[in-house]
Amino acid sequence: MSHDGSQHARRTDARDALATALKTRLRSEPLARVTVTHLTQDCGLTRQAFYYHFHDVPELAAWVFETEVAEQVRVSAHHDAWADGLVRLMGYLRDNRSSTTAVLDGLGRAGLERFLFWQMRPVTAAVVEEVGGGGPASPADRALVVDFYTSAVLAVLLRWVSDGMVGDPYRLVGDVELMLHGSVRESVARLDARARAPHGRA
């Protein structure tokens, strides 16, 4: 392994060790009580090593959140059962409430919304592909449909987070799935009909 490769591996190992230590701590205490000293002692790293990667504990929590949420979404985007992926994502958010709260505090609702939008967009694209027959023929119309329904699903998800993540994810996602299936098909059909009409009029 090259010198650069071994350095990269050490950096990755350090981040992963800190992430594991944080998640372990969060099982028994709130984020506000977790300190850099706790984490470095737990995983055998120096404070200097911590500050090489992160400014503070909330930033580490945000990194863990973003990394793991991205992985949850990537997995769900490659499954036909996209609704199961959304339920799994909601379960992650609720099971990791402290990290979710840390991201809300650090990024704000707007920052969280931007992050989740771009993470969830591939999932919505898979839905459009699955239930919309591949989506509108026009690339611009397809992008419009994907963006519109990504925003709609995200609004439901963010409301669930704001309400304390107490609602049943299976019930909520089931309701979303019922609405999306007919609505996406109709949107695709209408946009394709408009594209075929003279002068683009439906």
Side-chain angles (χ1 to χ4, degrees):
M1 180 182 292
S2 69
H3 177 67
D4 288 345
S6 61
Q7 276 193 330
H8 174 73
R10 284 197 298 272
R11 286 195 295 269
T12 301
D13 289 346
R15 286 196 298 266
D16 289 346
L18 289 165
T20 299
L22 176 62
K23 288 190 289 184
T24 300
R25 284 272 175 181
L26 290 176
R27 294 191 190 112
S28 59
E29 56 191 297
L31 182 70
R33 293 188 181 178
V34 180
T35 67
V36 173
T37 300
H38 289 151
L39 298 177
T40 53
Q41 287 177 347
D42 289 348
C43 60
L45 293 172
T46 64
R47 290 174 64 86
Q48 181 180 4
F50 178 95
Y51 288 115
Y52 179 81
H53 297 288
F54 305 104
H55 287 102
D56 51 29
V57 175
E59 184 181 69
L60 167 60
W63 179 81
V64 171
F65 175 91
E66 292 178 1
T67 301
E68 295 194 357
V69 164
E71 180 59 27
Q72 295 285 332
V73 174
R74 275 196 298 271
V75 170
S76 63
H78 290 86
H79 282 69
D80 290 335
W82 64 269
D84 291 339
L86 187 54
V87 169
R88 187 167 54 249
L89 172 60
M90 294 173 74
Y92 172 86
L93 296 177
R94 186 160 62 184
D95 292 344
N96 295 272
R97 189 182 301 269
S98 293
S99 294
T100 303
T101 302
V103 172
L104 279 171
D105 291 343
L107 298 179
R109 183 184 173 91
L112 179 64
E113 185 172 351
R114 281 192 301 273
F115 168 73
L116 287 176
F117 178 90
W118 290 109
Q119 294 301 322
M120 290 177 60
R121 197 177 186 279
V123 178
T124 313
V127 175
V128 172
E129 186 75 23
E130 177 188 345
V131 304
S138 162
D141 285 345
R142 187 177 189 281
L144 175 63
V145 171
V146 172
D147 287 349
F148 179 85
Y149 286 105
T150 299
S151 296
V153 174
L154 181 57
V156 172
L157 178 63
L158 289 173
R159 172 59 64 88
W160 177 78
V161 171
S162 296
D163 288 345
M165 298 178 276
V166 294
D168 179 8
Y170 286 97
R171 175 63 183 271
L172 190 61
V173 173
D175 290 344
V176 169
E177 188 174 20
L178 282 174
M179 291 185 288
L180 282 183
H181 272 236
S183 180
V184 169
R185 281 194 296 269
E186 184 174 351
S187 296
V188 169
R190 286 177 178 271
L191 288 168
D192 279 344
R194 183 185 67 180
R196 289 192 300 269
H199 308 297
R201 293 182 180 179

